[in-house]
């Protein structure tokens, strides 16, 4: 059985960044396994600009951002095994993969980094009643048809969900000559980044129907018509509020879910909120030596954060490989009032580096107070304007604070604006 | 001139086509849809009921018990999936428990294996069984199958033995000549001595083409379902509530052959025989009624909803007979549940009790009624996988990441007799798109493979029906 110091599953932006970090930190014997024909992951189909502002201080397209990392990986002689699918990850860190050249192979790794990305929620998962004709796609699927294969899926388009991919596709398809009739969002706020609402909808006069959803699909062969209804505060359709759109295409941009079944099968503990593994300050999962990062850990809106997080998980793996991780008590990190989730979910008492928490709020906040507590002790308190679920927030726990922790950590967000 | 034309390529029609293909007969099987098994056979609970449910002295009771016993061999012969899960009929309280006695009595008389369990004993086997369940009648030999897989395999065998299959061929009118019929379709006329009407919800309409006063009336009755991802293991057995006259078999939890769970169906009469849409009301009904027998339903693992139409009939029993006023026209109508379980026996009944009276049934030479199981990577051990890939590297190229389906499997299902020529056809045969991403990831890849193998433009590839185009236009 072939042995590696570290194997990275997934060659998207997370996997590439993790590989580069490992090499730079002296871990030589590594392998990246990628299912597709080339590395880069989801970035390869995101041909719009808007990547890398934080990392490279310029606006790159998805493929060019990926290219920067692919070049670094090549310079460092990272082995990337493409067209290869990992079928199974075992708790003993053996990895079973399959490809056309080698067949079915099992290898062993001292450390494993899961960088497997996410998948899009489908129609079934959001329960849209009605018929099941052609013409209903996830936004990413339509994006792939258009940007990779070169085909338009339709000309009269409606979009359910205001996730970023949907917004970007609204603009893209409009520019390619389609008519986008509108975007319906179940929640009273958008799930996309504000800049995408502005640049992809408002600039093209595409209406955004907040608190609305698609309540019926019509069409036997190809989609012919949809029914859109307003929803009440319990997210139930309001009778009498129906609108009808005669469209041939419905794009769904209703959420991304970490691709977690490898982790699940390996017995790794999951966070039901993120649907990804629970990790500690080293991005290590509940199975020692297995790490996770990127969209396979929790869904990110900016690739820069993915690259950064992956580098941190690789640093964690290096500590693990160098035997510098101490077995110690781990404090839990909870999402308190107003917070949907926090990653990492555990902090080791002996952690000797700053820990940056990524978290998302549950609803929009005008003027918010963010409080990080350990037991009853307030570690940090911060006022911030305009918080929304679509934008990931950060907060740092310093090494000094870690030394003074009194118990588990909770982050809460409350509205403090006047008159509310 | 055909000896026999079968209208309808569901489980009834395909099973019969396979059985007839061993004889020296000229047989055609036609269906209005673009693939085999696009009707009720595509959307049901997939259970091979053992036969305790139908009333005494009915064809249903006779053919169900017999059909169920034939499935093990059939699935072996055809290389089809079948999983013996066992079934629990779960009673809540004394009144329902009494009803179980009736079922047990029927089972006893029909030679069907059964066992009694207390509520607590059953909950030891099924942790998600509701606390309200007080007593369970267990039928350990109950199995689940992949219904359309069996229908497709039957069609494949039939075609190999010389049966002609015409898809996208809708029977619109039938004229009766002196000693034969002419079936008029959108795809030409078919002359035949005998007609078998196996057209499911269409059976009354087709019958009316030769008879103004049919003895039965068919009203489509819809059943809607949730499908759970196989990542969650929810039930081991099929869980039934106690059946009732009004609600039929009720809302079930069914483990499928591939480890998914089906939750449903409801029962709702609809007007349109094409209306397999789902509804808020229907799905709410399923959710509400499931709580009777089940708890902790993990709805967050739902990956799909679907609905099927039962050919509900004014006649409570199967109607399998030569039409009284139209000699040569044979109805296999009113085939509601347990139509799937009964199908092998229905086919034999038609041949032995009806066709044999009219036709000389001599066996052909060199027929092959079996099919080798298509190679499915998911069923293989690591060593077998390695071997398969060595022989054909395309089995190492994974196209569907949720269900881990390789390009080799997809090519095989396209190039077989009765092969897939649509995205849904590939999905029905080898499962890419059946997983949690529902094809979001693999559909573009499957579409490109279909275009390449069928030598057509990607814009000509359809989802299912022949006008169900997936891509609108090239964008270059
Ligand atoms: C459509 C879209 C638009 C976006 N737009 C922007 C934007 O404008 N600006 C911005 O900054 N960010 C944007 N983002 C965010 C950011 O680009 C992504 O979140 C980031 O690229 C994700 O990287 P990843 O490596 O975690 O996942 P991925 O890129 O999905 O990579 C995961 C890789 O793992 C491979 N893989 C998975 N399972 C296996 C397995 N079992 N075996 C082998 N390989 C496997 C996959 O093939 C894939 O290549 C966007 C994201 C999406 C989805
Ligand atoms: C919700 C539900 C759950 C069920 N659960 C079970 C179960 O668990 N176990 C069980 O044993 N049974 C079950 N059944 C019943 C079983 O599915 C059916 O009895 C069986 O599939 C009927 O098969 P068929 O071939 O007779 O009809 P179908 O599969 O409906 O086939 C009829 C075919 O005829 C074609 N057709 C119709 N009109 C024309 C025309 N004019 N010209 C050409 N072609 C035509 C249609 O396109 C169709 O393909 C269930 C049914 C439903 C709907």
């Amino acid at each position: 059985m072939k042995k590696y110091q570290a194997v990275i599953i997934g060659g998207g932006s997370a996997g590439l960044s993790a590989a580069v970090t490992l090499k730079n930190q002296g871990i030589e014997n590594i392998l990246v396994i990628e299912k597709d024909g080339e590395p880069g992951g989801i970035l390869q189909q995101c041909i719009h600009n808007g990547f890398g502002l934080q990392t490279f201080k310029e606006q790159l397209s998805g493929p060019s951002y990926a290219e920067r990392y692919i070049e670094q990986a090549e310079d460092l002689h990272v082995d990337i095994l493409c067209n290869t699918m990992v079928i199974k990850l075992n708790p003993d860190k053996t990895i079973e993969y399959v490809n056309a050249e080698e067949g079915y192979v099992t290898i062993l790794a001292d450390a494993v980094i899961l960088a497997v990305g996410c998948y899009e929620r489908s129609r079934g998962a959001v329960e849209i009643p009605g018929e099941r004709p052609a013409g209903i796609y996830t936004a990413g699927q339509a994006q792939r048809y258009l940007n990779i294969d070169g085909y338009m899926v339709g000309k009269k388009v409606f979009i359910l969900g205001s996730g970023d991919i949907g917004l970007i596709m609204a603009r893209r398809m409009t520019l390619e000559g389609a008519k986008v009739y509108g975007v319906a969002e179940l929640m009273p706020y958008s799930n996309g980044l504000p800049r995408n609402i502005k640049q992809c909808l408002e600039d093209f006069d595409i209406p955004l129907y907040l608190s609305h959803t698609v309540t019926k699909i019509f069409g036997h062969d190809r989609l012919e018509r949809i029914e859109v209804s307003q929803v009440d505060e319990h997210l139930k359709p309001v009778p009498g509020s129906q609108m009808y759109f005669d469209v041939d295409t419905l794009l769904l941009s209703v959420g991304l879910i970490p691709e977690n079944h490898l982790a699940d099968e390996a017995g790794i503990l999951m966070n039901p909120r993120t649907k990804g593994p629970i990790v500690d300050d080293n991005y290590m999962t509940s199975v020692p030596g297995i790490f996770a990062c990127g969209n396979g850990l929790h869904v990110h809106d900016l690739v820069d954060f993915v690259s950064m997080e992956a580098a941190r998980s690789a640093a964690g793996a290096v500590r693990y490989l160098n035997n510098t991780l101490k077995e110690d008590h781990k404090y839990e990190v909870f999402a308190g009032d107003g917070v949907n989730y926090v990653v990492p979910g555990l902090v080791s008492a002996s952690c000797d580096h700053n820990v940056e928490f990524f978290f998302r709020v549950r609803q929009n906040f005008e003027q918010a107070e963010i409080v990080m507590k350990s037991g009853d002790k307030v570690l940090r308190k911060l006022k911030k304007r305009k918080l929304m679920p679509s934008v990931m927030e950060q907060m740092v726990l310093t090494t000094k604070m870690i030394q003074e922790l009194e118990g588990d950590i909770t982050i809460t967000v409350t509205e403090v604006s006047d008159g509310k | 001139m055909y000896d026999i034309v079968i209208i309808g390529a569901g489980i009834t029609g395909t099973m019969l086509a396979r059985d007839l293909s061993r004889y020296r007969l000229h047989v055609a099987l036609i269906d209005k849809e673009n693939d085999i098994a696009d009707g009720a056979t595509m959307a049901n609970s997939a259970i091979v009921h053992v036969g305790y449910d139908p009333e005494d002295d009915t064809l249903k009771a006779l053919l169900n018990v017999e059909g169920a016993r034939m499935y093990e061999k059939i699935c072996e012969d055809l290389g089809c999936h079948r999983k013996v899960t066992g079934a629990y009929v779960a009673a809540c309280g004394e009144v329902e428990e009494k009803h179980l006695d009736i079922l047990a009595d029927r089972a006893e008389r029909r030679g069907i294996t059964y066992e009694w369990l207390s509520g607590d004993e059953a909950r030891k086997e099924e942790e998600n069984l509701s606390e309200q369940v007080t007593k369970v009648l267990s039928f350990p030999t109950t199995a689940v199958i992949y219904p359309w897989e069996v229908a497709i395999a039957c069609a494949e065998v039939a075609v190999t033995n010389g049966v002609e299959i015409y898809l996208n061929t809708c029977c619109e009118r039938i004229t009766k000549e002196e000693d034969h019929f002419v079936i008029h379709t959108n795809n030409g006329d078919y002359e035949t001595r005998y007609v078998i009407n196996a057209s499911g919800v269409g059976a009354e309409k087709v019958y009316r083409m030769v008879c103004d006063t049919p003895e039965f009336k068919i009203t489509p009755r819809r059943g809607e379902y949730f499908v759970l991802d196989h990542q969650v293991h929810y039930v081991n057995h099929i869980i039934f509530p106690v059946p009732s006259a009004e609600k039929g078999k009720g809302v079930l939890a069914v483990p499928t052959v591939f480890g998914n769970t089906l939750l449903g169906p409801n029962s709702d009469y609809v007007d349109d025989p094409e209306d397999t849409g789902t509804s808020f009301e229907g799905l709410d009904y399923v959710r509400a009624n499931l709580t009777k027998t089940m708890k902790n339903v993990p709805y967050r693992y739902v990956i799909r909803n679907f609905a099927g139409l039962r050919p509900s009939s004014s006649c409570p029993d199967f109607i399998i007979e030569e039409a009284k006023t139209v000699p040569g026209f044979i109805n296999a109508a009113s085939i509601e549940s347990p139509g799937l379980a009964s199908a092998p026996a229905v086919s034999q009944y038609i041949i032995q009790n009806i066709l044999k009276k009219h036709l000389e049934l001599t066996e052909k030479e060199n027929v092959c009624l079996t099919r080798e199981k298509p190679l499915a990577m998911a069923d293989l051990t690591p060593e077998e996988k390695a071997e398969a890939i060595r022989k054909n590297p395309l089995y190492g190229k994974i196209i569907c990441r949720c269900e881990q389906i390789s390009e080799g499997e997809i090519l095989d299902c396209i190039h077989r007799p009765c092969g897939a020529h649509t995205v849904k056809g590939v999905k029905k045969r080898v499962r890419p798109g059946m997983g949690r991403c529902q094809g979001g990831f693999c559909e573009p890849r499957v579409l490109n493979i279909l275009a390449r193998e069928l030598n057509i433009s990607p814009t000509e590839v359809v989802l299912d029906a022949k006008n169900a185009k997936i891509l609108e236009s090239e964008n270059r």
Side-chain angles (χ1 to χ4, degrees), chain B residues 6-16 39-45 47 49 54 58-61 63-64 67 71 196-204 216-221 249 308-321 330-350 354:
Chain B
I6 306 168
I7 305 172
I11 193 75
T12 309
T14 53
M15 200 61 92
L16 181 63
T41 304
M42 184 63 212
N44 54 62
S45 305
I47 304 167
H49 298 288
T58 57
L59 260 186
K60 265 190 190 168
L63 300 177
N64 183 178
Y71 260 103
I196 315 268
N197 175 16
S199 56
V201 285
E204 180 193 338
F216 58 89
K217 188 171 162 32
I218 304 263
T219 321
R221 190 159 53 90
K249 293 195 179 70
L309 292 178
R310 308 169 181 90
S312 233
S313 169
S314 56
C315 168
D317 203 0
F318 293 157
I319 298 169
I320 306 174
E321 60 192 19
I330 296 151
N331 279 314
S334 185
I335 310 284
E336 279 195 81
S337 186
L340 202 58
S342 312
V346 169
S347 167
Q348 284 306 320
Y349 184 90
I350 295 173
I354 306 172

Side-chain angles (χ1 to χ4, degrees), chain A residues 115 136 278:
Chain A
I136 304 171
I278 298 172

Side-chain angles (χ1 to χ4, degrees), chain A residues 6 22 55 66 73 82-83 110 113 146 152 185 205 227 271 299 328 349 361 367 379 387 413:
Chain A
L22 286 175
T55 317
C82 288
N83 287 315
D110 291 332
I113 300 181
L146 188 52
M152 282 285 272
E185 168 58 56
D205 293 325
E227 179 189 273
N271 177 341
V299 173
D328 209 338
V361 291
Q367 176 75 53
L379 299 171
L387 265 56
V413 176

